[in-house]
Amino acid sequence: MSHTHESTITHLTETEIEQRLKQHGYRLTGPRGAVVEAVLGHTRPFTAEQLVAELADGPEAIGRATVYRTLEVLASVDVLTRIVSPDGHPSYLSGAPGHRHHLLCELCGTTVTFTACPMTDLIAELASDTHFEIRDHTLEVFGICPACQQAGRV
Amino acid sequence: MSHTHESTITHLTETEIEQRLKQHGYRLTGPRGAVVEAVLGHTRPFTAEQLVAELADGPEAIGRATVYRTLEVLASVDVLTRIVSPDGHPSYLSGAPGHRHHLLCELCGTTVTFTACPMTDLIAELASDTHFEIRDHTLEVFGICPACQQAGRV
DNA sequence: AGTTTATTGACACCTGGTATCACTAGTGCT
DNA sequence: AGCACTAGTGATACCAGGTGTCAATAAACT
Ligand SMILES: [Mn+2]
Ligand SMILES: [Mn+2]
Ligand SMILES: [Zn+2]
Ligand SMILES: [Zn+2]
């Protein structure tokens, strides 16, 4: 496998995440813990509404607003990445802090994360050509994973 | 300016667009024409709701559903590009058919379109490494244009 | 002109998300 | 342990953006 990508994700434990929240001045509450636990239960991208549904069933009955707020907090503390797909629907991916890009299977959600940003050269070139001050970029790749190809799900 | 990008956009006239619609089996209706005219009035990205508002005022009073439907049709016929920004809000850009990427000013919406896709190499590499069948990708770049920098709007 | 069929738009509906605000519960201090 | 302070919670109402329905309309074809 080349240097431009990797699928290993930093697997944070619940307590590590809660440490990190505390370090950023956030309190350690019951509902927050429940959301973190639910988030860790996902290895594939999930939507906010999915999490809302899961947690509405659970024993603690976490409210809608809390789920959305907590996702925002977790993203701001870099234990969660928010990916907006081309159709405009955002989903979340746990355990991926920092600047990353992804290759996602359109059928099963399997995700390959790549850490090396292939955009650095292009960005430098664009900046010097257009005199824009470049601040941000989006780059996500979509396709069908080997397993889904095999299964004839293609 | 290098070969990787360009700001020239194919400027289609109203009649050319309507020809194109007809070629794809769409009828040439009054409301459709009004939407096309309104779209051509924009050189910068605009939202669907903006267009709905503009056309609600106009003499023809085009309905909400029609505007959305027509945007979809125009995008499918490649006279319009739909861009989803990182916050998930879609906007439309006229006169940009085909596979393109954009550099957008976050303040004034000035857009530089680049036609050469910088992703082709990366995609080939990703495909051979991961055995994904790669189908699609998003790539948009955001920043501040020279004019906005000058104006101290930064 | 008449027939066919795509298109229209009013309307109701929906999903995903936010603002409000009285209440609850962590946290730090003593 | 008790208290004060403030962050966090969640019910509720609300909102934006967008979609489905369906009877009425108007292109297109003959
Ligand atoms: Mn990057
Ligand atoms: Mn491309
Ligand atoms: Zn798959
Ligand atoms: Zn600008």
Side-chain angles (χ1 to χ4, degrees), chain B residues 2-21:
Chain B
S2 116
H3 63 287
T4 56
H5 59 272
E6 53 171 62
S7 56
T8 27
I9 52 174
T10 322
H11 223 80
L12 299 171
T13 71
E14 191 165 342
T15 34
E16 281 169 340
I17 292 176
E18 296 186 335
Q19 286 307 325
R20 199 184 275 230
L21 284 173

Side-chain angles (χ1 to χ4, degrees), chain A residues 65-144:
Chain A
T66 300
V67 172
Y68 276 92
R69 283 188 291 235
T70 307
L71 285 175
E72 215 179 304
V73 167
L74 291 177
S76 83
V77 175
D78 255 352
V79 308
L80 216 53
T81 309
R82 191 182 136 112
I83 300 177
V84 176
S85 78
D87 65 9
H89 294 308
S91 57
Y92 295 86
L93 199 55
S94 77
H99 182 88
R100 306 220 169 175
H101 300 285
H102 306 91
L103 167 57
L104 297 99
C105 176
E106 287 175 340
L107 295 179
C108 72
T110 294
T111 303
V112 176
T113 303
F114 43 111
T115 46
C117 176
M119 292 289 293
T120 27
D121 288 350
L122 175 70
I123 284 175
E125 191 189 342
L126 275 180
S128 85
D129 282 356
T130 64
H131 302 287
F132 268 60
E133 176 192 323
I134 294 178
R135 296 215 165 157
D136 198 7
H137 61 273
T138 61
L139 166 58
E140 305 294 341
V141 184
F142 302 87
I144 311 293

Side-chain angles (χ1 to χ4, degrees), chain B residues 37-108:
Chain B
E37 191 178 357
V39 161
L40 287 178
H42 288 267
T43 52
R44 314 227 159 149
F46 59 90
T47 67
E49 289 300 319
Q50 267 171 41
L51 216 61
V52 168
E54 283 174 31
L55 287 164
D57 290 345
E60 292 215 47
I62 314 301
R64 180 188 201 64
T66 301
V67 173
Y68 276 93
R69 283 188 291 235
T70 307
L71 285 175
E72 213 178 305
V73 167
L74 291 177
S76 84
V77 175
D78 255 351
V79 308
L80 215 53
T81 309
R82 191 183 136 111
I83 300 176
V84 176
S85 79
D87 65 8
H89 295 309
S91 58
Y92 295 85
L93 200 55
S94 77
H99 182 87
R100 306 220 168 175
H101 300 284
H102 306 91
L103 167 58
L104 296 99
C105 177
E106 287 175 340
L107 295 179
C108 73

